[in-house]
Every structure is written in structure tokens, then in C-alpha cells.
């Protein structure tokens, strides 16, 4: 969360910053700000509560310069407001700083060094910039030394960009645990949290590692390791096309991304499954997985739900036991592990701080790890032993859709490769054929959106609450379906094991409460239908989403039948669309829901 | 769910039925009914939507007789209404039947045999009684043969009591999967779902087993096995006192049961922990557990939450890995099990159908099992290899309180015994001393209810939603805390891992949304406080419940410190009281929340 941009050496600095922030808006949109200064040190600070569009409207034509930094915020300390927005400024107006991350010891540092300073915000960030001023003015350090000392005193996560207004020819940069990239171009350089922000200007980037600092000028980049020794690093090329970050004719990114899912599945099959049913994963990865006695999937949010679905697939196909763990819990309350664990981290962005702290700990314990992510060279990708990419194309809408189905698909492909290697796959599931069926079935659902739009209106337009229920894979899909609805429509939806609802939560069912039942599991279809009767007896209005082999005449949405264990790939599609349409009907912004941000880089 | 009573041989039949139903009301209170007939076959049927008090008001003075049956309903098929209430009557008005359970094949039987019959209800039950009439009238069977044939045709769960109005000197009885007891007395006999209903009349009971039928007259009970051979069975004595089922001076059972918790903990320590730190469990039980490589705790609802807390205790104390499984999911979607699993079933009532189907399957697989329950001779107790009793006294309020803390306490005692046996207990936790601290601390909390009543008013009086957050044991306690609030106050409360909330659900936080944070875990207290800041930045109103060793000045509720892993014993108490007071403030019935029933005997 929070997005950072910086640019040095361009006349159109302001426009580059605003453009970049618009591309990073998925990372937070509580408030935003820029600081731009000319070569002569004439500076302009503009900050605005709200979205980047609000900031753009507030930026006057006088805001011009050749050096600038910008920030879009997801609040962690202090409410969203102009004064809590970044850049934060030191008391004498000399230093301007933007920050992504959370400083853990800011109160302590504030009490120790800055008790005489009047603060203008409630942010942890302001302490960083005031501390630089203190170290320059009170301890007589030069600016570089003061910046380095401030960074060395900070505990927590940060990506910092700082401008000293008296030196408008350089940018101070530091990074720890929060992502930061330096984009290299001809006659100017840029800095950003995500290469997406600057793809229209350059495809060549230097990556910063934790604990590193850098000085960036218009024609030079110098990176220092934690001991201030210069680091030589080869830039890498980002192959992504700037157009991939455009929503084209779609009203929202989310709808585009929902529609892309059949293509993503097909692409994953053609990437990872050869013509002769040979799986194109790194053989060392499969060998390492095969040595394990248990796989631990660590994830959060939607990726956690993908992990739950993946567990069933891996256990059924490869007969390898799988535990699925919430990243924020696992690292701090380690259960008794199996003897030879193998860790799989599922993270769309590859930056999820909760997952990363687990990866760091598991590496210390010497356990092998794989990151499955959509973002090449992301932190989790760099730090795990292996990476498998989702190749889903940038996912911009905050509510994740195609990453979920891509994660399940990749795990299914891995399960097959593992089952082949172990000789445990009984061949019951012809994955190529099933995934092809799944992609076609997805296509059929997205091609018939009108029906789903109608059901969204009927069931969700005004309700404050809703429940999804199912058993087995339908339970795990219910968790994800409910989360989609929560995230963007603000309906308090809960996903439940159909049999568990009666053990308490059924008390919330009132006349007209929507209950959406997913039924794709033959063994328990009858029991789930019993649970539907129970909630109907209490007034619930039920919507049944059923595979065609189990359908009855009153079922409203009938889906093509695929292998039961892969059913979340299909059942989630109407759920995504129901959430999408409900959100529009209720008048909210689909792509940028309140309080959320895409890449969750705080714990 | 659903409670059944029957009596034969008493002049005050009507009063006995109504009294018994009042005692069984925890099992369901959508609607209720009785049928009473005199020796001359003069019958009275009274049914009423609503509670037993409504039924009582509807019963006129003419409703008298010497044979009667009664029923209190938790609807599974058909809405709560007079016509769906039991007893159900056959078309010619000759046969009256009450039923607890779910008939799976009733639609099939209805189509096959009863297409000419006009049904007056939407219940599965009516098919049973109409079928008896059909078998007598159309197939010429005598009543006993017709009753037996009907029973043999039924798939599903049932406890049936049937009256043939032309034979007012006997009661037809059958049982499968739903509980049923026959109470023996001098000159009369009674039948009931739970001995609680009849304790004022007798303490001597015959238990019926699955598949058995019985004929009960005023001075005789004849039980038949599935082949209609007479079964000789010794009655057993229920030691429970009828007074234990009385709420005394308390306004609600729930408050009484909350207050009893310190005493329950002390009683469990004195029952299961000897003076010399010898654990008084069946040595064979501990030996069997010690042979296992993993313990599987299977449960639902509040018991599931107790299982989650118990996992941490067992893993910390005995170093034995534990998996906690939702009963309704586990049996139908078996994960890959460890090599030597040991199954623990947590069920307050010992009748939970979801757990029972798992127990039946695990027994078929030959795995050892333990039931931890509050009800001696309950189904799960009889069928598991071992039983450990909670000794918590009858829990009448539908929302479970003392059973939760008792389950955790018993699991802690078992963990110690297991750790002793395995030699894995490092002795870090002095359980006798910690449980004594816990009981004292509980006492302090329940003695200071006023503060909690005030917080209930401040946080819950009008809100439609709320969140509990915590990490580690505080997360699992949050799940239970949220469930309590849901069950009785109808606030849609969710318990969340404090770090997981931001991965989607934080979008539901609005200005004034109550977020209650539990903080008893030193390792993550700072992180949880970070999460509190995040929700506060979005307008949440936060209530902090913190152990004294981690407390800060602004924390509202400070609890005595006990061993961190036992903290759910304490944190749940204010949560129970908050739910209790919120419910009263919002004007609802604490003991009998809508849609719920205590003993969940359907899947």
C-alpha cells in the first residue's frame, strides 16, 4: 500500500508524477500529494485528500520544475487528510519526503530527539523528515550523512524519497521491506514503487534491495549497500507493454480482468504443459517438492482462498498432504511442522508483507520455498528458492479476480507434475482436457452476463448482508465469493460451510436475507439442499448456482460440469460478476473500494 | 433440535407435556403442539406457532386425558406455522405423530404411495403418519405392523412417538440417530428427547438404540431390536438434580451459566487432577492418545472454536500435532490423514449429528476416539471408545458459554496428562496454578459486570455490525466472541486474525464501526496495535481488552495475566457478557435466539 514516484531531469515533471500516481492508485487512494522544485530551488507542494483526480484538479499551472516526488496514500497512522498526506515537510521547509511502509519506533525517536518540534501531522513519516532536519541543524551533519543516519535509526518498513530543496539536482533514496525501483532513461531518471508507473518512459530498471540507499541525479544512479559501499548492479528489462495497463473500452478494470480469465487459463496450460503431457516446471522445483512430506501454502485474502481450493487438488491428484495457513498468523504462532515441509507462497503482487515475514523465517529455518506470483522480480519472487509466474497480465482492480483462478490453475498443473514425479497420480483427472473445458465454460458464463446482472439486482441491490454456502470445494469458493462482495459492494457477506451455518450464524437469517448456494459436489448435494430448506424456512431468499449434472428445475444458474475438484474455477465467475454488478447498482467505485489497496505491504 | 415428550397413565397428562416441553424448549421454539386423548378415545389437538408459552395460552381446560404426546419444533422443512407444527395427523384423523429428525426420502415415498392424499403441511413428518394410515387402510396391516413397516421404509434420522386414537392405552415409539429415552415410573411411563424434561417425575430411564422400536403402556415397556426381537435392557439412573435445570434468581440461564464458569473450572481441576499432580483419566485413554502421531479434533460451532484454542495448548504442552476440523466438512471430504490418528469429538450435548456421522465413519476405519461432552450417555459418548465428561451442569441457554471454557480446560488437563506420558511436557506451565489463577480472574470479571454492561451500551446498542480481532489465541477467542454476539444480539459480528482484516474485509469499516481487539499475546501485541490504528484511521470505534502485562493507559478493559496459551478462558468472559447485555439492550430473548436450537441433531 502507498505508491511512490520520483523524477529528476525532465521539464514535464508534474505531469510525469501525476501520470505515475494514477498508475499506482491501486496501491492506495486516501490522499495524495506531490512536491516539485525547479533548478533554482523554487518549490511547490500540493496535497489533497481523496483520489489522484482530486490532486490533479488542485495542481495549478505554476507547479512546474525538474525534480519532483509524489505519493498516493493508504492510511496506517492518522486519518486520511491533507495534513497527513505526503510529502511530509521538515519544520524549516527545507526537506520533503515521501514514505511507503510503517515505522515501528517513530514514537520513541520523536520523544528522544524531537520533543521541541511542532508536528503538523499524525504520521510516522513526519518523524523521519523532522529527524533529518534535526541531524543537520543540531548535530551538524551534512545532508547525505543525516539521511543515512536517519535511515539507520528506523525500525520497520520503508521506501523513502527525499528532496533537499537547497540541492535541486539530486534525489535521496532508501529502501527496506517496501518495494522501490529506479527507472533508467536517457537524460533523466525516475523512481517508483512499481514499474507500471513508469513503463511509458522506460523499460529498464535497477532494483534496490533491503537496507540499500541511493543517490539519483538526472544522468547517474549510485546505489550503496548498508555499509555505504557502492553496489554494481545490472539493470533488468521489464517486458510488459504499457498498453497492458490500460482498460481499453471497459468501464472498469475489474470487468476486463474477469473477462480475461479464460485466456489466462489457456495461456497457463500452453506455458506449463507441453504437447506430450510433459510439465514445464523447473525439474529441481518438482524434485524438491517431491522430497517433502507436507506442503504448506502460506497466503492472505483471496490468495488464501485459492490455497484452500489448491489443497484439495494437490491432495487428490498427488496424494501429498497440504496445510493452508494465514500468513499473518503462521509466522508468529508456528504450529508443529512436519519433518520435511515445503513452503508455497501465493501472492498476486509478490509484495505481501505478511507472507514475506514468513518466508524470511522459513528461509532461516532452512526450508525450501516456492513463490507463485503475478509479478516477476517482486520481493517474494526474488527471495524464494523458486518462482512460478501466473502470467495473468497486470491486475489493476483492487478486488482480485484473474489472479485467483490463475493461482488455482498453476497449483493444479504443479499437482499433476508432482503426482507424475511421485507416481501417485492415478490419472483420473485429464488436466489438459478439464482446463480446456473450464476455460470454455468460463467463456460461456462471461458471455452471458445479463442474467447475472439481473440476479445482482434481485438479490443484492439493497441488502445489508448476504451468505454464500457450500460444501467441500463449494465451501472454499463460498469464502472467496463472499469476500468479493464485501470488498467492493460493502455488503457484509460471509462464506460458510453449508452444514456449519446452523451452529450459530443462522440466527442472522431474516425475511429476505440472500443466501447463495454453490452446489457442484455430488456427494453432498442433497445435504446442501437440506441446508437450503433450513434457511428458506427462516425466510431466506436463495439463489442456487449448480453444475448441470446436479441441477434441478428451480435452480437459477446452471454451470457446465467439470471435474468436481476444479469447480472453484467456475463457481467463482458468477460470484465475481454478481459482486461487480451489485457494486455498480449500489453506486460505488468498482476498481477502488474504500479502505483497501492492492499490494498489502504492511503487517 | 426439536424436542419430543410423551406420557401414558397420568391424569395430569397435559400439564406434564407442557412442563416437559418448557424444559426442552432449548431444542427448538419455532412452534409447538400437543395431542392428548382420554381412555375413551376423546382427543384434543392443539398446535401453535411460537414458543411454549403461546401453546400453553392456547390450551383450554377441556384438553385433558391419560395419553399424550408433545413437540417443540426447529423447522427444517416448511416455515414455522400452525400447520407445520407437530403432532401431524393422518387424513382420517386416526393417527397422531411427533418426529424429531430429518427424513431423506420423504418425497420419494410421498410420490410412490400417497399421490392421492391431500397433505396439510410441508413437513417431511406428515409423510410418516399418512403412510401408516395408508398401510392400515390400503394394505390391511394391523397398526403395529404398519408402524414397523413405515419405520423400515424411512431413510434419515427420526425419533417417532405415535398414538392410534382407537387404542388409547399404548404409545408407539421408534428411534434412529435422534435421541429418545423412556422414563420409568410407578403406574405411568414417559418418553422424552432429553431426561431433563422428566426429571421431576423419574430418574430412571431406558435408553433406545438406533433402529429400535418400543411399545409403551402405563405399566409396561417393551423394546424391540431391528428384527423385532425383544431387547432386555437394564434401566440407568440419572444423577442430575431437577433443581440444576432451574435458573433460580437469574433473569436468564445464560447469565447463570456465565457466572458458573469459575466453579466449573475448579470442579474440573478437582475431578481430573489429583493431589500429587496425577491425572485421573482412564490410563487406557492416555495410552491410546500417546500412540497417535496426530490428534484430530472434530467439532462444530462453539465447540469448534474451543478446539482451535485447544490445538495450541496441546501442541505447546504435549508437542503432539493437532488438526481441528469442521464436523460437517470433514466426513465428506476427508483430507489425507496421518498414519496413526486419534479422534477427539467435542460436543456439549453429545448429540451433534454432524460430529456423529464423522465418528461413525472413523470407527469403520478403525481409528480410536474420545468424546468430550457435558451429557453422560449421549450418543457420541456411547459410541466413542472413551468419554471425558465436562461436569459443567446442564447448559440450557442456547448460546454456549460454560461448555466452551470447560472444553478448553479439559483439553488442557488432557494435554498435560499426555505430555507426562510422552515425556514431552517441559513443565513450563504449572496447570494447577494457572487454572486456579484463571478461575479467580474469571471471578473478578463476572463480579464487575457493570463496566461491561456500559461498554455493551456504548459499542453495541445500535450497530448492525462489529468485528473482533486478535492474533494467535486472541484470534481464536475472537471467533468465539463474534459468534456469541451474532447468536443472540443479531449483530453481524466477525472474528478476524488482526493481520488478515486488511486483506479485504477492512472495506466494511465505516465511521463508528465497533472493532474489539483482544491483546494477550506478547509477541504480536505491537502488530495488533498497528492494526487498531489502521481501523481507527478509517473511523472505527475501538474497544481494547488487554492483559495487564501488555496494557496501555487508553485500554478500556484490563484482564489479569495468565499463561498466554490459556488466555481464551479469560478473554471470552467479557465477550460473553458483552453479547448478553447487548442482547438485553436491543430487546431480544437471551436464552432463546431466533432460528437456533441447542442440540443440533440434523446435518
Amino acid at each position: 500500500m502507498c505508491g511512490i514516484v520520483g523524477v529528476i531531469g525532465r521539464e514535464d515533471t508534474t505531469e510525469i508524477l501525476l501520470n505515475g500516481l494514477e498508475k499506482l492508485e491501486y496501491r492506495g487512494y486516501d490522499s495524495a500529494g506531490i512536491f516539485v522544485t525547479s533548478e533554482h530551488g523554487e518549490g511547490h507542494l500540493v496535497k489533497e485528500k481523496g483520489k489522484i483526480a482530486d490532486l490533479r484538479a488542485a495542481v495549478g499551472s505554476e507547479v512546474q520544475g525538474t525534480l519532483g516526488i509524489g505519493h498516493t496514500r493508504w492510511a496506517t497512522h492518522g486519518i486520511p487528510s491533507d495534513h497527513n498526506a505526503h510529502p511530509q515537510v521538515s519544520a524549516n521547509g527545507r526537506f520533503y519526503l515521501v514514505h511507503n511502509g510503517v515505522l515501528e519506533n517513530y514514537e520513541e525517536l520523536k520523544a528522544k530527539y524531537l520533543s521541541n518540534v511542532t508536528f503538523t501531522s499524525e504520521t510516522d513519516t513526519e518523524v523521519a523528515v523532522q529527524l533529518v532536519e534535526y541531524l543537520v541543524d543540531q548535530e551538524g551533519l551534512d545532508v547525505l550523512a543525516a539521511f543515512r543516519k536517519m535511515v539507520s535509526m528506523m525500525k520497520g518498513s520503508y521506501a523513502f524519497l527525499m528532496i533537499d530543496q537547497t540541492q535541486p539536482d539530486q534525489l535521496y533514496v532508501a529502501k527496506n521491506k517496501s518495494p522501490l525501483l529506479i527507472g533508467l532513461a536517457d537524460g533523466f531518471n525516475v523512481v517508483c514503487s512499481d514499474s507500471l508507473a513508469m513503463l511509458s518512459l522506460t523499460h529498464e530498471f535497477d532494483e534496490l534491495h533491503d537496507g540499500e540507499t541511493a543517490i539519483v541525479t538526472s544522468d547517474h544512479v549510485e546505489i550503496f549497500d548498508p555499509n555505504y559501499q557502492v553496489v554494481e548492479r545490472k539493470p533488468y528489462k521489464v517486458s510488459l507493454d504499457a498498453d497492458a495497463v490500460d482498460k481499453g473500452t471497459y468501464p472498469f478494470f475489474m470487468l476486463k480482468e474477469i473477462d480475461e480469465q479464460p485466456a489466462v487459463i489457456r495461456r497457463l496450460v500452453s506455458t506449463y504443459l507441453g504437447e506430450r503431457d510433459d510439465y514445464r516446471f523447473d525439474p529441481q522445483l518438482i524434485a524438491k517438492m517431491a522430497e517433502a512430506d507436507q506442503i504448506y501454502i502460506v497466503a492472505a485474502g483471496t490468495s488464501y482462498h485459492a490455497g484452500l481450493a489448491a489443497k484439495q487438488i494437490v491432495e487428490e491428484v498427488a496424494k501429498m498432504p497440504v496445510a493452508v495457513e494465514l500468513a499473518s498468523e503462521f509466522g508468529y504462532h508456528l504450529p508443529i511442522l512436519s519433518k520435511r515441509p515445503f513452503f508455497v507462497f501465493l501472492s498476486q503482487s509478490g509484495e505481501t508483507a505478511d507472507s514475506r515475514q514468513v518466508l524470511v523465517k522459513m528461509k532461516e529455518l532452512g526450508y525450501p520455498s516456492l513463490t507463485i506470483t503475478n509479478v516477476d522480480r517482486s520481493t517474494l519472487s526474488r527471495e524464494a528458492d523458486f518462482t512460478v509466474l501466473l502470467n495473468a497480465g497486470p491486475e489493476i482492480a483492487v478486488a482480485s479476480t484473474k489472479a485467483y483462478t490463475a493461482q488455482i490453475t498453476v497449483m493444479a498443473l504443479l499437482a499433476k507434475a508432482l503426482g507424475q514425479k511421485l507416481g501417485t497420480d492415478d490419472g483420473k483427472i485429464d488436466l489438459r482436457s478439464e482446463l480446456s473445458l473450464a476455460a470454455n465454460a468460463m467463456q460461456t458464463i462471461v458471455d452471458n452476463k445479463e442474467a447475472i446482472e439481473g440476479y445482482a439486482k434481485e438479490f443484492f441491490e439493497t441488502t445489508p448482508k448476504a451468505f454464500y454456502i457450500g460444501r467441500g470445494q463449494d465451501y472454499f469458493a463460498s469464502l472467496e465469493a463472499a469476500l468479493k462482495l464485501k470488498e467492493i459492494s460493502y455488503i457484509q457477506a460471509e462464506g460458510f460451510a453449508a452444514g456449519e451455518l446452523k451452529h450459530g450464524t443462522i440466527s442472522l437469517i431474516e425475511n429476505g436475507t440472500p443466501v447463495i448456494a454453490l452446489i457442484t459436489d455430488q456427494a453432498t448435494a442433497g445435504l446442501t439442499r437440506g441446508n437450503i430448506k433450513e434457511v428458506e424456512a427462516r425466510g431466506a431468499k436463495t439463489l442456487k448456482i449448480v453444475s448441470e449434472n446436479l441441477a434441478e428445475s428451480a435452480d437459477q444458474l446452471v454451470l457446465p460440469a467439470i471435474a468436481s475438484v476444479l469447480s472453484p474455477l467456475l463457481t467463482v465467475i458468477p460470484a465475481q460478476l454478481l459482486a461487480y454488478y451489485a457494486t455498480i447498482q449500489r453506486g460505488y467505485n468498482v476498481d477502488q473500494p474504500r479502505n483497501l489497496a492492492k499490494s498489502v505491504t504492511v503487517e
Side-chain angles (χ1 to χ4, degrees), chain A:
Chain A
M1 316 117 129
C2 296
I4 282 182
V5 288
V7 58
I8 186 161
R10 286 277 292 219
E11 295 298 329
D12 53 349
T13 293
T14 303
E15 188 52 33
I16 290 175
L17 294 178
L18 290 171
N19 262 334
L21 290 177
E22 279 160 358
K23 296 274 191 284
L24 292 186
E25 203 165 14
Y26 72 89
R27 299 178 70 87
Y29 33 77
D30 288 343
S31 55
I34 58 173
F35 174 73
V36 177
T37 183
S38 73
E39 286 166 34
H40 323 295
E42 196 187 342
H44 304 275
L45 176 68
V46 190
K47 305 202 285 186
E48 200 68 24
K49 187 181 163 186
K51 311 227 160 167
I52 308 301
D54 301 311
L55 176 66
R56 189 182 271 284
V59 170
S61 59
E62 77 287 0
V63 182
Q64 296 298 336
T66 51
L67 168 64
I69 53 178
H71 187 270
T72 182
R73 178 166 184 252
W74 187 86
T76 59
H77 293 72
I79 57 164
S81 68
D82 295 1
H83 63 274
N84 286 334
H86 302 203
Q88 290 288 321
V89 197
S90 70
N92 63 8
R94 178 173 168 186
F95 301 105
Y96 292 80
L97 181 142
V98 292
H99 166 218
N100 171 22
V102 176
L103 304 177
E104 288 165 15
N105 58 335
Y106 76 105
E107 284 176 328
E108 193 183 307
L109 294 171
K110 189 172 168 177
K112 192 161 174 190
Y113 299 101
L114 305 170
S115 51
N116 295 327
V117 178
T118 308
F119 277 72
T120 61
S121 80
E122 296 123 36
T123 63
D124 48 346
T125 305
E126 189 179 353
V127 172
V129 73
Q130 299 284 19
L131 198 53
V132 172
E133 179 181 303
Y134 170 89
L135 293 169
V136 170
D137 289 358
Q138 306 298 317
E139 299 201 354
L141 301 186
D142 67 33
V143 177
L144 179 59
F147 181 72
R148 284 175 169 172
K149 183 157 183 189
M150 178 278 286
V151 167
S152 72
M153 291 159 88
M154 289 299 167
K155 283 183 193 156
S157 56
Y158 50 80
F160 287 130
L161 299 188
M162 189 186 79
I163 289 175
D164 169 8
Q165 214 188 333
T166 69
Q167 293 175 287
D169 58 352
Q170 60 185 308
L171 198 48
Y172 295 86
V173 178
K175 178 216 184 283
N176 192 48
K177 293 192 194 169
S178 297
L180 204 63
L181 299 169
I182 301 173
L184 311 172
D186 197 15
F188 69 100
N189 288 306
V190 295
V191 191
C192 49
S193 301
D194 183 325
S195 60
L196 287 182
M198 296 297 170
L199 279 184
S200 58
L201 298 172
T202 179
H203 280 65
E204 203 162 292
F205 289 88
D206 268 343
E207 62 191 17
L208 278 194
H209 294 181
D210 284 353
E212 292 180 346
T213 49
I215 300 291
V216 179
T217 67
S218 60
D219 55 7
H220 189 69
V221 172
E222 198 147 40
I223 301 176
F224 305 95
D225 72 13
N227 301 317
Y228 311 125
Q229 300 302 305
V230 173
V231 176
E232 293 300 331
R233 183 164 298 145
K234 247 183 91 169
Y236 71 98
K237 244 192 151 62
V238 173
S239 57
L240 211 62
D241 190 344
D243 292 346
V245 202
D246 199 274
K247 62 178 179 254
T249 58
Y250 280 92
F252 289 99
F253 278 107
M254 185 178 178
L255 193 61
K256 170 171 176 269
E257 292 160 9
I258 290 172
D259 277 5
E260 285 170 351
Q261 291 175 99
V264 171
I265 306 290
R266 291 190 190 103
R267 191 188 310 146
L268 287 171
V269 173
S270 72
T271 305
Y272 294 119
L273 178 50
E275 302 274 313
R276 299 169 182 198
D277 284 352
D278 50 317
Y279 287 85
R280 295 177 179 156
F281 296 109
D282 180 343
Q284 288 191 298
L285 162 64
I286 303 302
K288 268 282 177 215
M289 291 179 83
E291 284 171 20
D293 60 353
Q294 177 149 352
I295 291 171
Y296 289 79
I297 297 176
V298 177
T302 289
S303 298
Y304 176 73
H305 297 157
L308 291 170
K311 168 187 163 78
Q312 319 305 316
I313 300 172
V314 175
E315 294 203 345
E316 184 165 325
V317 170
K319 317 288 184 290
M320 168 86 79
V322 178
V324 190
E325 306 283 351
L326 278 179
S328 65
E329 284 295 305
F330 186 78
Y332 296 99
H333 300 98
L334 217 56
I336 298 177
L337 297 177
S338 72
K339 290 206 177 63
R340 299 185 308 282
F342 183 94
F343 283 85
V344 176
F345 295 87
L346 294 181
S347 167
Q348 188 280 134
S349 67
E351 301 292 346
T352 314
D354 286 318
S355 294
R356 199 214 167 186
Q357 52 90 8
V358 179
L359 173 55
V360 169
K361 285 170 191 156
M362 295 309 109
K363 279 178 72 169
E364 282 168 14
L365 293 172
Y367 296 131
S369 55
L370 161 67
T371 290
I372 298 179
T373 179
N374 202 25
V375 182
D376 196 12
R377 290 177 175 262
S378 55
T379 305
L380 281 160
S381 159
R382 284 199 312 269
E383 296 184 352
D385 298 330
F386 302 95
T387 294
V388 173
L389 291 174
L390 297 175
N391 288 338
E395 189 182 67
I396 305 296
V398 164
S400 178
T401 52
K402 60 183 179 175
Y404 172 81
T405 43
Q407 285 166 337
I408 293 173
T409 304
V410 163
M411 285 301 298
L413 290 158
L414 277 170
K416 271 292 207 186
L418 180 61
Q420 265 187 4
K421 174 85 180 173
L422 290 168
T424 47
D425 177 16
D426 54 22
K428 274 187 195 152
I429 292 179
D430 176 347
L431 195 59
R432 184 194 302 280
S433 143
E434 289 292 340
L435 288 177
S436 163
L437 279 175
N440 292 342
M442 279 178 168
Q443 192 65 54
T444 309
I445 304 169
V446 300
D447 286 347
N448 291 281
K449 296 190 178 74
E450 306 70 30
I452 297 175
E453 186 173 3
Y455 288 121
K457 205 167 177 67
E458 185 182 342
F459 283 83
F460 296 136
E461 196 177 15
T462 58
T463 186
K465 61 183 166 186
F467 295 90
Y468 272 91
I469 62 172
R471 289 170 179 254
Q473 289 291 56
D474 295 332
Y475 164 37
F476 302 124
S478 290
L479 293 175
E480 173 59 10
L483 182 61
K484 276 317 98 175
L485 206 54
K486 269 181 173 172
E487 287 179 318
I488 57 175
S489 79
Y490 315 139
I491 295 168
Q492 192 162 2
E494 291 188 66
F496 258 86
E500 180 67 7
L501 195 68
K502 63 185 174 297
H503 294 286
T505 299
I506 199 173
S507 69
L508 297 180
I509 303 288
E510 295 177 278
N511 237 342
T513 302
V515 176
I516 296 83
L518 307 181
I519 307 183
T520 68
D521 176 49
Q522 188 141 27
T524 55
L527 289 167
T528 301
R529 289 194 188 273
N531 301 132
I532 292 171
K533 284 218 157 64
E534 282 160 18
V535 296
E536 283 174 346
R538 274 127 200 117
K541 198 168 148 186
T542 59
L543 173 63
K544 282 146 286 196
I545 302 179
V546 186
S547 0
E548 58 189 356
N549 55 321
L550 301 170
E552 295 182 358
S553 58
D555 298 338
Q556 294 100 326
L557 273 170
V558 177
L559 309 181
I562 58 169
S564 200
V565 80
L566 297 172
S567 64
L569 292 176
L570 286 200
T571 47
V572 79
I573 311 285
Q576 293 168 346
L577 288 166
L578 285 167
Y580 174 83
Y581 287 115
T583 303
I584 290 173
Q585 288 156 8
R586 294 165 80 99
Y588 298 117
N589 183 331
V590 170
D591 283 343
Q592 296 180 345
R594 71 183 176 209
N595 303 349
L596 293 179
K598 186 134 193 89
S599 170
V600 185
T601 53
V602 299
E603 285 184 48

